Amino acid sequence: MRPATLPVVAALLLGAGSATAAESFRFPSIDGGEIDLAAFRGRPVLVVNTASQCGFTPQYDGLQALQDSYGPRGLVVLAVPSDDFNQELADETAVKDFCEVNFGLTLPMTEITHVKGAEAHPFYRWMDAEHDFSPSWK
């Protein structure tokens, strides 16, 4: 993957010791249920906001390759589809089908989630407040 095609991401190392603020976040899973970041304690987590109709959509190949290569050593790649940049499909079923058919994704994925602004998921609001990180279109 060339650096120009990398998505805007948030990377975390969830502590092996005491609980961190990042571990308190949960996302609704595209497969139903929820993804609890606390379940990844002690592991590096790459949180990536994605969009199925973006020019960077081929990033899914690289993200899956990262998960396949480094997942056995602890890495978790979490895809967070968002329509905040007007480039996501209409619903979760369409996103899930698109990603499975076109990219063979098996990595964990959230439901379509706001990543910026007042409606941003609490994780992204925390990233902005604590780490001055907010996804943007660059």
Side-chain angles (χ1 to χ4, degrees):
M1 233 180 345
R2 298 185 334 256
T5 64
L6 290 175
V8 178
V9 300
L12 303 169
L13 177 58
L14 298 181
S18 62
T20 65
E23 291 177 40
S24 66
F25 298 107
R26 298 169 186 227
F27 290 85
S29 172
I30 203 163
D31 295 318
E34 67 180 13
I35 299 167
D36 185 349
L37 293 185
F40 305 130
R41 173 176 261 203
R43 300 170 67 183
V45 179
L46 182 65
V47 180
V48 186
N49 58 289
T50 60
S52 302
Q53 298 178 321
C54 174
F56 295 139
T57 298
Q59 72 187 353
Y60 283 128
D61 285 327
L63 295 172
Q64 186 64 53
L66 278 173
Q67 182 69 50
D68 292 344
S69 294
Y70 297 100
R73 299 194 302 194
L75 177 69
V76 176
V77 178
L78 176 61
V80 183
S82 178
D83 195 35
D84 285 351
F85 302 100
N86 302 313
Q87 297 178 323
E88 188 51 270
L89 297 170
D91 60 50
E92 283 80 12
T93 301
V95 172
K96 183 176 169 70
D97 290 348
F98 174 83
C99 290
E100 287 176 352
V101 168
N102 293 293
F103 299 98
L105 284 192
T106 61
L107 51 95
M109 182 176 274
T110 72
E111 290 182 354
I112 298 170
T113 302
H114 288 288
V115 299
K116 67 176 191 159
E119 295 182 355
H121 184 279
F123 169 82
Y124 283 94
R125 290 196 311 265
W126 173 79
M127 286 295 293
D128 189 31
E130 295 296 319
H131 301 286
D132 197 28
F133 172 84
S134 179
S136 63
W137 181 249
K138 295 182 180 191

Coordinates of all heavy atoms in Angstrom, one line a residue, residues 1 4 9-10 17 21 23 25 36 47 58 65 77 84 92 95-96 102 104-105 107-108 111 120 128 133 137:
M1 N 0.8 -1.2 0.0 CA 0.0 0.0 0.0 C 0.9 1.2 0.0 O 1.8 1.4 0.8 CB -0.9 0.0 1.3 CG -2.3 0.1 1.0 SD -3.4 0.1 2.4 CE -2.6 -0.4 3.8
A4 N 0.0 7.3 0.1 CA -1.1 8.2 -0.4 C -2.4 7.5 -0.4 O -3.4 8.2 -0.4 CB -0.8 8.6 -1.9
V9 N -6.6 7.1 10.1 CA -6.8 6.1 11.1 C -6.5 6.5 12.5 O -5.8 7.5 12.7 CB -6.0 4.8 10.8 CG1 -6.3 4.2 9.5 CG2 -4.5 5.1 10.9
A10 N -6.9 5.8 13.5 CA -6.5 5.9 14.9 C -5.9 4.6 15.3 O -6.5 3.6 15.1 CB -7.7 6.3 15.7
G17 N -2.1 -3.5 31.6 CA -2.2 -3.2 33.1 C -3.6 -2.7 33.4 O -4.6 -3.3 33.0
A21 N -9.0 4.6 29.0 CA -10.3 5.2 28.6 C -10.7 4.6 27.3 O -11.9 4.4 27.0 CB -10.1 6.7 28.4
E23 N -10.6 1.7 26.3 CA -11.2 0.4 26.5 C -12.7 0.5 26.9 O -13.4 -0.5 26.9 CB -10.5 -0.4 27.6 CG -9.1 -0.9 27.1 CD -8.4 -1.6 28.2 OE1 -9.0 -2.4 28.9 OE2 -7.2 -1.3 28.3
F25 N -15.0 1.9 25.3 CA -15.9 2.2 24.1 C -16.4 0.9 23.5 O -15.7 -0.1 23.5 CB -15.2 3.0 23.1 CG -14.8 4.4 23.6 CD1 -13.5 4.7 23.9 CD2 -15.8 5.3 23.8 CE1 -13.1 5.9 24.3 CE2 -15.4 6.6 24.3 CZ -14.1 6.9 24.6
D36 N -16.7 -4.6 21.7 CA -16.3 -4.0 23.0 C -14.7 -3.9 22.9 O -14.1 -4.9 22.9 CB -16.7 -4.8 24.1 CG -16.4 -4.2 25.5 OD1 -15.7 -3.2 25.6 OD2 -17.0 -4.8 26.5
V47 N -7.9 1.4 14.3 CA -9.3 1.7 14.0 C -9.3 2.6 12.7 O -8.7 3.6 12.7 CB -9.9 2.6 15.2 CG1 -11.4 3.0 14.9 CG2 -9.8 1.8 16.5
P58 N -10.0 0.6 -2.3 CA -9.1 -0.6 -2.4 C -8.2 -0.8 -1.2 O -7.6 -1.8 -1.0 CB -8.2 -0.2 -3.6 CG -9.2 0.6 -4.5 CD -9.9 1.4 -3.5
A65 N -5.0 -7.7 4.5 CA -3.7 -8.3 4.5 C -3.0 -8.1 5.9 O -2.3 -8.9 6.4 CB -2.9 -7.8 3.4
V77 N -7.6 -5.1 13.4 CA -8.0 -4.1 12.5 C -9.5 -3.9 12.5 O -10.2 -4.9 12.2 CB -7.5 -4.3 11.0 CG1 -8.0 -3.2 10.1 CG2 -6.0 -4.5 11.0
D84 N -20.0 10.1 6.7 CA -19.8 11.5 7.0 C -19.2 12.2 5.8 O -19.2 13.5 5.8 CB -18.9 11.6 8.2 CG -19.7 11.3 9.5 OD1 -20.9 11.2 9.5 OD2 -19.1 11.3 10.6
E92 N -26.2 -1.1 6.3 CA -25.2 -2.1 6.7 C -25.2 -3.3 5.9 O -24.1 -3.9 5.6 CB -25.4 -2.4 8.2 CG -24.9 -1.4 9.2 CD -25.9 -0.2 9.4 OE1 -27.0 -0.3 8.9 OE2 -25.4 0.8 10.0
V95 N -23.2 -2.7 2.8 CA -21.8 -2.5 3.1 C -21.2 -3.9 3.3 O -20.1 -4.2 2.8 CB -21.6 -1.6 4.3 CG1 -20.1 -1.6 4.8 CG2 -22.0 -0.2 4.0
K96 N -21.8 -4.7 4.2 CA -21.3 -6.0 4.5 C -21.1 -6.9 3.2 O -20.1 -7.5 3.0 CB -22.2 -6.7 5.5 CG -21.7 -8.0 6.0 CD -22.6 -8.6 7.1 CE -22.3 -10.0 7.4 NZ -21.1 -10.3 8.1
N102 N -16.4 -8.2 -2.7 CA -15.3 -7.6 -3.5 C -14.0 -7.7 -2.8 O -12.9 -7.6 -3.5 CB -15.7 -6.1 -3.7 CG -16.8 -5.9 -4.6 OD1 -16.8 -6.2 -5.8 ND2 -17.9 -5.5 -4.1
G104 N -13.4 -9.9 0.3 CA -13.3 -11.1 1.1 C -13.0 -10.7 2.6 O -12.3 -11.4 3.3
L105 N -13.5 -9.6 3.1 CA -13.2 -9.1 4.4 C -13.7 -10.1 5.5 O -14.9 -10.5 5.4 CB -13.8 -7.7 4.7 CG -13.2 -6.5 4.0 CD1 -13.7 -5.3 4.6 CD2 -11.7 -6.5 4.1
L107 N -12.3 -9.1 8.7 CA -11.9 -8.3 9.9 C -13.2 -7.8 10.5 O -14.2 -7.6 9.9 CB -10.9 -7.3 9.6 CG -11.2 -6.3 8.4 CD1 -11.9 -5.1 8.8 CD2 -9.9 -6.0 7.7
P108 N -13.1 -7.4 11.8 CA -14.3 -6.9 12.5 C -14.7 -5.5 11.9 O -13.8 -4.7 11.5 CB -13.9 -6.7 13.9 CG -12.4 -6.8 14.0 CD -12.0 -7.5 12.7
E111 N -21.2 -1.0 12.5 CA -22.3 -0.5 11.7 C -21.8 0.8 11.1 O -20.8 1.4 11.5 CB -23.5 -0.3 12.5 CG -24.2 -1.5 12.9 CD -25.5 -1.3 13.8 OE1 -25.8 -0.1 14.1 OE2 -26.1 -2.3 14.1
A120 N -20.6 12.4 16.2 CA -19.5 11.4 16.2 C -19.7 10.4 17.3 O -20.1 10.8 18.4 CB -18.2 12.1 16.2
D128 N -10.6 13.0 19.5 CA -10.4 14.5 19.2 C -10.0 15.2 20.5 O -9.1 16.0 20.5 CB -11.7 15.0 18.6 CG -11.5 16.4 18.1 OD1 -10.4 16.8 17.6 OD2 -12.5 17.2 18.1
F133 N -7.3 14.3 17.4 CA -7.4 13.6 16.1 C -8.9 13.6 15.7 O -9.7 13.1 16.5 CB -6.9 12.1 16.3 CG -7.2 11.3 15.1 CD1 -6.4 11.3 14.0 CD2 -8.4 10.5 15.1 CE1 -6.7 10.5 12.9 CE2 -8.7 9.8 14.0 CZ -7.9 9.7 12.9
W137 N -11.3 14.8 5.3 CA -11.0 14.4 3.9 C -9.8 15.2 3.5 O -9.8 16.4 3.5 CB -12.2 14.7 3.1 CG -12.0 14.3 1.7 CD1 -11.9 15.2 0.6 CD2 -11.9 13.0 1.1 NE1 -11.7 14.5 -0.5 CE2 -11.7 13.1 -0.2 CE3 -12.0 11.8 1.7 CZ2 -11.5 12.0 -1.1 CZ3 -11.8 10.7 0.9 CH2 -11.6 10.8 -0.5

